[in-house]
Amino acid sequence: MRPATKRLGLPAAAAVLALATFGGAATAATAHGVSAHAAKPTYTIAYEGPLSGGNAQLGLNMEYSVKLAIDQANAGKTFGALPFKLRFQAADDQGSSTQSPTTAQSLIDNKSVVAVVGPAFSGATKAAEPLYHAAHLATVSPSATAPALATQHWNNFFRVVADDNAQGPADAEFAAKVLKAKSVYTVDDASAYAVGLVGAFDTKAKQLHMKVIHQEAPGTTQCQAGTGNVQQYGALSTQIVSSKAPVVFYAGYYCDLALFAKGLYAAGFHGKIMSDDGSLDPHYVSQAGASVADGSYLSCPCTNLGNTPQDKAFATGFKKMAGFPIGTYSAESYDATNTIIATMKKIGAKVTRPALVAGLHKIIYNGLTKTVHFQKDGNIAGSTEYIYEVKGGKIVELGMASQLIAKA
Amino acid sequence: MCFTTNFWPFLVQGLADGFLYALIALGYTLVYGVLQLINFAHSEVFMSGGFASYFVLEALIGTSQPHGMASVGYVAIGIGAGAFGGALVAFLLERVAYRPLRRRNAPRLAFLISAIGGSYFIYNLAGKEFGRNALEIPAPFLNGPAFTLFGATIQTDYVVVAICAIAMLIIVDRVVAMTRLGKGIRAVAQDAETASLMGVNINRVISQTFVIGGLLGGAAGFLFGLNFGVAYTMGFTPALKAFTAAVLGGIGNIRGAVLGGLLLGVIENLSVTCIGANWRDVVAFGILVAVLLVRPTGILGERLGRSA
């Protein structure tokens, strides 16, 4: 023990010295900053979502959008001169509902946080929202789609996407009318998000006189810190092939769908695979392989950006900052952040958490993906589903589900 | 009845899973034989093998699509790389997490904790360094239906897994039964003290046992990754299952580990057709408990004397 202490002695002293120097410098800088911009208060907009773990990619798609929106607003590019400065804070919940309350508490304790973009996942939102609600902290989720979230009387809960009560039925109708399936095999990954979605799908499918067989296959350890076994899909696929169902609907995330699709392919499944917005990620194609993923339909309450100058500017700005192109929910996160900033601008220099919640209930903001306007329960007013297909290893948007169904 | 519909496809699937469990289970059982300890970091040996083969094959194959003899070569290289990666990590683990404790006569619990610590360290490091997304090993052969057996389509990768696994299992069985090294392993497993009096270098034998377990576990990591991709969390469930298989077959018994692995794989898969996909683990572990209640030593188990 003694030699170790001795060896540590010098570096420790150096570290203390360095700390003192840096500490001094930091204090000086702050003092300077305050004197220069004394009039402008600083507020933090946080992002909560998975930034590590199997679903990190979805989280990164969102994180950089929030950051970009904040940087642009600070530079005066999007809202002109603002009476406050904005700061960004990322909070990683790994998409997990066990981690999420801790993450939420850390944001609540930070008094400068006035709004949160997120939480990204439905399960995580369900777990964290009671805490946010008690702290009157507004959360605007770009992606949590479980219907139940809007029925809890959390007046601080908002989302800029349609819920699964819109997505599930639209998917079922697409399977029945466009794919003309008489029966469907539905599988969910046992997450809060997937169970709600698959329930909405099944109900609608039965109304449309489809035969529905349902199975649950827990999300795997390779995906969103699940507990399932990655080998489970082989047997499940054999089961599905022998059921002769022409369509499989999977409610879950891309990393599991990739394994599942490979299992179906190996078992000799020749029907159609459909899945949801959790699977709408290029990693689905790269992990399953293009030959397996081709022909899969994916749905999302989100749309690809068009070719307007604003859309293009966002896509370029994002790529420059993140180092990878925009992905699922990037544009929605950008809209969510800008909706918050627009509301703050209306309030003025003195933004409080309750004032922001009240402001969000009234705001109408023209975003990239849609006009953001919230219903009383926090759901977005009037939103649509889009269907995508994997073609030649690329995810291609086919169009609005309602239009595709009307055409069929 | 549930067993009769699709019996063969599920049996084939079960055997494919079972061979992988068997390869990993051998790592547990061999180490248990010489140390009477469960190496809880073995899951990370398995994962390291997967990553090692991924990096080697990624560099060699890239985006090309090998076929014919080249495929056989790449599978051999993949197994070699996986085995080397697994063996290296197993060797280091023994040096860092076990040997210092053994030298100080630490209590059993200390070994358990240092193994769990090693496991967490390695897999978090891998997640940090190699990313959190699953990586696909570039395919060394074109996977597809190879032939049909009683109505079950046998995939090429099942054939590859089965051939490689059977070959390795036979080699290990022979090595332990016939070579000088094997004699050393058996001697230490039976009575370490007497073995050392007879001139067996216990430290060396233990180290070599870890390496053999690592070779098998690492190769299994490659075979597993071929189908499911490699990820930093890939070791957890298969290793837990393999541990179960080793206990089911009788821990410390090499053929028992193989039997346990195959049984577990088949039972798991048949339970999917009979009860449902989400009952898979419930059934597998339920049967484990039932077997152990009737036969606490496992199916082929017997007491194997004292540890080192």
Side-chain angles (χ1 to χ4, degrees):
Chain A
M1 281 318 280
R2 187 154 292 173
T5 327
K6 225 175 193 174
R7 248 182 289 144
L8 273 178
L10 193 62
V16 168
L17 204 69
L19 206 68
T21 323
F22 279 121
T27 322
T30 320
H32 183 72
V34 167
S35 68
H37 306 280
K40 272 195 179 182
T42 301
Y43 299 114
T44 303
I45 297 178
Y47 167 73
E48 185 195 326
L51 298 174
S52 64
N55 285 309
Q57 189 57 47
L58 266 175
L60 293 173
N61 288 345
M62 304 182 209
E63 186 199 3
Y64 283 107
S65 294
V66 179
K67 228 172 143 193
L68 181 65
I70 290 176
D71 283 1
Q72 289 178 342
N74 274 336
K77 282 186 202 156
T78 35
F79 292 95
L82 291 170
F84 44 77
K85 267 191 77 84
L86 291 170
R87 200 183 293 150
F88 171 70
Q89 187 183 344
D92 180 14
D93 65 10
Q94 300 192 338
S96 120
S97 44
T98 43
Q99 201 116 318
S100 170
T102 325
T103 312
Q105 193 58 51
S106 74
L107 292 178
I108 290 166
D109 292 344
N110 180 348
K111 290 292 171 230
S112 84
V113 174
V114 288
V116 177
V117 178
F121 286 4
S122 294
T125 310
K126 196 175 161 194
E129 209 57 45
L131 296 171
Y132 284 129
H133 178 61
H136 307 291
L137 185 53
T139 63
V140 184
S141 178
S143 55
T145 51
L149 295 173
T151 60
Q152 313 280 332
H153 305 292
W154 294 320
N155 72 333
N156 64 316
F157 167 81
F158 303 94
R159 58 179 152 205
V160 297
V161 285
D163 68 9
D164 299 329
N165 278 343
Q167 185 174 186
D171 288 346
E173 221 176 327
F174 183 82
K177 296 194 175 146
V178 181
L179 303 180
K180 308 209 183 313
K182 296 260 181 303
S183 66
V184 61
Y185 205 109
T186 60
V187 178
D188 71 84
D189 75 352
S191 65
Y193 153 73
V195 170
L197 178 57
V198 95
F201 182 101
D202 289 354
T203 313
K204 182 73 184 180
K206 281 175 196 152
Q207 277 172 17
L208 294 167
H209 308 294
M210 290 167 91
K211 190 178 150 223
V212 180
I213 311 172
H214 178 79
Q215 274 272 12
E216 192 165 84
T220 66
T221 44
Q222 219 125 312
C223 196
Q224 59 142 6
T227 53
N229 186 332
V230 293
Q231 291 150 305
Q232 69 190 349
Y233 299 111
L236 181 58
S237 300
T238 309
Q239 190 87 325
I240 289 170
V241 170
S242 76
S243 81
K244 304 226 169 19
V247 171
V248 171
F249 178 76
Y250 181 71
Y253 297 98
Y254 62 89
C255 28
D256 281 331
L257 179 64
L259 295 168
F260 188 17
K262 279 202 275 187
L264 283 169
Y265 181 79
F269 177 73
H270 295 298
K272 291 286 181 195
I273 299 173
M274 280 187 77
S275 188
D276 50 31
D277 52 325
S279 302
L280 185 67
D281 190 297
H283 280 95
Y284 164 52
V285 183
S286 66
Q287 284 174 15
S291 56
V292 173
D294 260 14
S296 307
Y297 293 100
L298 307 169
S299 72
C300 189
C302 58
T303 174
N304 270 343
L305 292 178
N307 287 318
T308 67
Q310 291 96 316
D311 291 355
K312 279 189 185 155
F314 166 63
T316 349
F318 183 95
K319 188 155 189 201
K320 204 170 148 205
M321 175 180 257
F324 56 87
I326 53 168
T328 307
Y329 290 128
S330 291
E332 281 74 10
S333 309
Y334 187 72
D335 280 353
T337 317
N338 279 330
T339 306
I340 293 170
I341 301 172
T343 315
M344 289 172 72
K345 193 184 173 191
K346 271 200 167 164
I347 296 171
K350 206 172 169 323
V351 181
T352 62
R353 288 176 180 179
L356 191 51
V357 169
L360 280 166
H361 276 288
K362 291 189 212 108
I363 195 78
I364 298 176
Y365 172 74
N366 265 319
L368 295 181
T369 59
K370 57 183 78 81
T371 301
V372 178
H373 176 50
F374 299 110
Q375 300 173 28
K376 215 168 171 272
D377 58 5
N379 273 335
I380 188 93
S383 172
T384 35
E385 292 299 319
Y386 296 83
I387 302 284
Y388 296 75
E389 187 183 355
V390 183
K391 282 184 185 166
K394 290 226 159 52
I395 300 177
V396 184
E397 183 177 324
L398 297 181
M400 267 187 227
S402 53
Q403 287 177 0
L404 295 170
I405 291 164
K407 253 191 268 170
Chain B
M1 271 298 294
C2 61
F3 277 105
T4 48
T5 52
N6 294 321
F7 175 78
W8 291 103
F10 283 107
L11 183 73
V12 167
Q13 198 107 46
L15 290 176
D17 287 352
F19 276 122
L20 286 175
Y21 291 154
L23 282 177
I24 311 168
L26 278 179
Y28 283 108
T29 235
L30 283 168
V31 167
Y32 186 86
V34 292
L35 282 181
Q36 306 252 299
L37 277 175
I38 301 300
N39 176 13
F40 273 108
H42 196 54
S43 50
E44 273 38 74
V45 169
F46 168 76
M47 176 205 64
S48 309
F51 273 105
S53 62
Y54 165 78
F55 286 119
V56 169
L57 289 185
E58 180 73 21
L60 290 179
I61 299 180
T63 51
S64 65
Q65 284 173 335
H67 48 82
M69 276 318 280
S71 293
V72 179
Y74 282 128
V75 169
I77 292 172
I79 288 192
F84 177 77
L88 182 70
V89 169
F91 176 77
L92 290 176
L93 260 175
E94 196 270 330
R95 276 298 162 96
V96 176
Y98 285 96
R99 191 169 290 189
L101 295 181
R102 209 145 36 75
R103 200 174 295 145
R104 295 178 190 195
N105 271 326
R108 297 231 163 267
L109 209 52
F111 287 85
L112 183 73
I113 299 301
S114 82
I116 291 174
S119 166
Y120 269 76
F121 174 81
I122 296 170
Y123 97 75
N124 280 301
L125 185 70
K128 182 87 196 56
E129 288 302 309
F130 307 141
R132 310 286 177 171
N133 268 314
L135 300 167
E136 286 302 303
I137 296 181
F141 53 84
L142 194 65
N143 194 20
F147 56 89
T148 324
L149 186 75
F150 304 110
T153 322
I154 315 281
Q155 299 287 319
T156 321
D157 61 349
Y158 290 176
V159 180
V160 172
V161 168
I163 291 176
C164 297
I166 292 170
M168 283 188 277
L169 294 174
I170 291 175
I171 292 172
V172 168
D173 192 63
R174 292 297 89 194
V175 164
V176 172
M178 290 161 68
T179 62
R180 195 183 150 81
L181 164 63
K183 222 180 256 176
I185 292 176
R186 279 179 293 134
V188 173
Q190 215 161 51
D191 189 335
E193 228 164 276
T194 314
S196 81
L197 289 175
M198 299 294 182
V200 176
N201 183 341
I202 295 188
N203 277 335
R204 198 155 92 211
V205 168
I206 290 174
S207 207
Q208 285 163 338
T209 310
F210 267 87
V211 167
I212 294 177
L215 288 170
L216 294 167
F222 163 69
L223 294 173
F224 184 89
L226 266 186
N227 207 346
F228 305 111
V230 294
Y232 72 111
T233 50
M234 69 189 273
F236 185 75
T237 325
L240 197 62
K241 291 282 172 65
F243 169 54
T244 309
V247 175
L248 184 63
I251 189 120
N253 185 309
I254 290 175
R255 292 180 185 181
V258 177
L259 179 68
L262 293 176
L263 260 181
L264 186 68
V266 171
I267 292 170
E268 265 188 11
N269 280 283
L270 286 176
S271 75
V272 172
T273 179
C274 283
I275 311 180
N278 44 353
W279 282 86
R280 181 181 176 127
D281 290 354
V282 179
V283 171
F285 286 93
I287 285 178
L288 172 78
V289 171
V291 167
L292 292 183
L293 282 178
V294 181
R295 213 180 137 75
T297 51
I299 299 169
L300 297 182
E302 66 232 72
R303 261 199 77 75
L304 276 176
R306 252 164 251 288
S307 67

